[in-house]
Structures are given as structure tokens and as C-alpha cells.
């Protein structure tokens, strides 16, 4: 079955196996279908939860930084060999920053951690269900429509 998620420009999705992408997409689709049966308050509560969800980049950054600091601390206490751990972690973080993907991202991805684009896609689907975008006027000129669209996108 082909996915409805067409974010082909996303380096993480491109380098992630179809099975992992499908599992993440299925989870999003199931959640949106479930939320379609809920009231506005429940959707709003879930949107607040999504606002706090850590994305893949944040997870990789924190994990690599923690391992790097750990390697430095252990290296200062127990010798130079531990500093290699810091170097490897920093190198993997650099690779992720330059390429948008790397081995750390692959591990985190398999655990089901989503990209910011994937989280935002779910948020916008839920905002549409909640009716946020119905407030955009069809009249009133381009400036009024643009302002209403910006307000709706932030709510």
C-alpha cells in the first residue's frame, strides 16, 4: 500500500526503510482517525502534547551531546581512551548536521521518533479537524485573508 505521506524532500524519510516509515505513518493516520471522533477540547489537549514531543533532530542532538560529555568526563578521570567516545559522538553529530541523516538518526528512527515535518503534518491535520482553517474569510481582500491564515496556522 502506498503512503499518503509524500514528504520526499525529507532526508530522514528518504534514508529510512519503507517499513519504518509506514509504521510511523500508520500511527499518525490512526491517531487522526481517532481524533476525528473526539470533541474540540480533546483535539486541543492532544495538540498540546504534540507541541511538547521531541523530534528526531532534538533527540539526536541531545543523545550525541550527552555521550560526548560523558566521554570527556570519563576521559579526564580514567584516561585518554574515553575521549575517543567524545570524538565519535561529535563526528556523528556533525554528519547528521551536514547531511540531515546518519547512523544515530537511523537508530532513533527505528524507535519511532518522528521528524519535525511529520509532527507538523499531524498537527495541521488535527487543526483542520478542529476547524481552525474555516475561519479564513473568502472575501475581504488578500491582506485580510493572509492575516487570517497566519492566525489560523498559529492556533
Amino acid at each position: 500500500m502506498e503512503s499518503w505521506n509524500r514528504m520526499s524532500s525529507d532526508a530522514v524519510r528518504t534514508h529510512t526503510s519503507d517499513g519504518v516509515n509506514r509504521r510511523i505513518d500508520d500511527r499518525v493516520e490512526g491517531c487522526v482517525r481517532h481524533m476525528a471522533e473526539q470533541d474540540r477540547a480533546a483535539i486541543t489537549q492532544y495538540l498540546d502534547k504534540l507541541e511538547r514531543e521531541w523530534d528526531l533532530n532534538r533527540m539526536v542532538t541531545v543523545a550525541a551531546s550527552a555521550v560526548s560529555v560523558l566521554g570527556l568526563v570519563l576521559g579526564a578521570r580514567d584516561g585518554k581512551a574515553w575521549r575517543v567516545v567524545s570524538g565519535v559522538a561529535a563526528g556523528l553529530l556533525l554528519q547528521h548536521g551536514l547531511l540531515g541523516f546518519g547512523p544515530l538518526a537511523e537508530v532513533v528512527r527505528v524507535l519511532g521518533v518522528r521528524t519535525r515535518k511529520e509532527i507538523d503534518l499531524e498537527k495541521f491535520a488535527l487543526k483542520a479537524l478542529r476547524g481552525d482553517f474555516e475561519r479564513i474569510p473568502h472575501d475581504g481582500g488578500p491582506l485580510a485573508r493572509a492575516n487570517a491564515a497566519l492566525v489560523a496556522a498559529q492556533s
Side-chain angles (χ1 to χ4, degrees):
M1 181 173 110
E2 200 167 317
S3 173
W4 47 264
N5 192 338
R6 305 256 185 245
M7 292 188 295
S8 60
S9 64
D10 189 336
V12 173
R13 285 188 68 83
T14 302
H15 290 92
T16 301
S17 74
D18 289 341
V20 172
N21 282 335
R22 193 170 23 259
R23 191 173 71 232
I24 290 170
D25 291 347
D26 288 348
R27 189 177 85 199
V28 170
E29 185 175 343
C31 175
V32 172
R33 286 183 179 181
H34 172 73
M35 285 300 184
E37 300 171 356
Q38 306 303 311
D39 62 6
R40 284 181 59 88
I43 294 172
T44 299
Q45 185 177 7
Y46 189 73
L47 282 166
D48 290 342
K49 178 183 171 194
L50 288 177
E51 286 294 330
R52 294 185 304 274
E53 183 175 336
W54 281 28
D55 68 5
L56 182 127
N57 286 332
R58 184 176 186 185
M59 194 77 74
V60 166
T61 302
V62 169
S65 298
V67 170
S68 186
V69 168
L70 178 66
L72 288 173
V73 168
L74 292 174
R77 195 183 82 188
D78 294 333
K80 295 178 185 177
W82 282 105
R83 292 186 188 145
V84 172
V85 172
S86 292
V88 170
L92 290 172
L93 186 58
L94 177 64
Q95 178 188 18
H96 181 79
L98 292 173
L99 302 177
F101 193 76
L104 292 177
E106 193 171 338
V107 169
V108 172
R109 187 77 170 153
V110 168
L111 296 174
V113 177
R114 300 185 289 171
T115 66
R116 175 55 41 200
K117 287 180 181 180
E118 290 169 329
I119 295 168
D120 287 345
L121 182 114
E122 182 176 2
K123 283 171 38 181
F124 283 111
L126 293 174
K127 287 179 180 189
L129 279 176
R130 190 172 65 176
D132 291 9
F133 305 118
E134 294 172 2
R135 296 183 298 220
I136 300 172
H138 296 289
D139 54 355
L143 184 59
R145 291 178 54 232
N147 287 337
L150 289 170
V151 169
Q154 292 178 32
S155 60

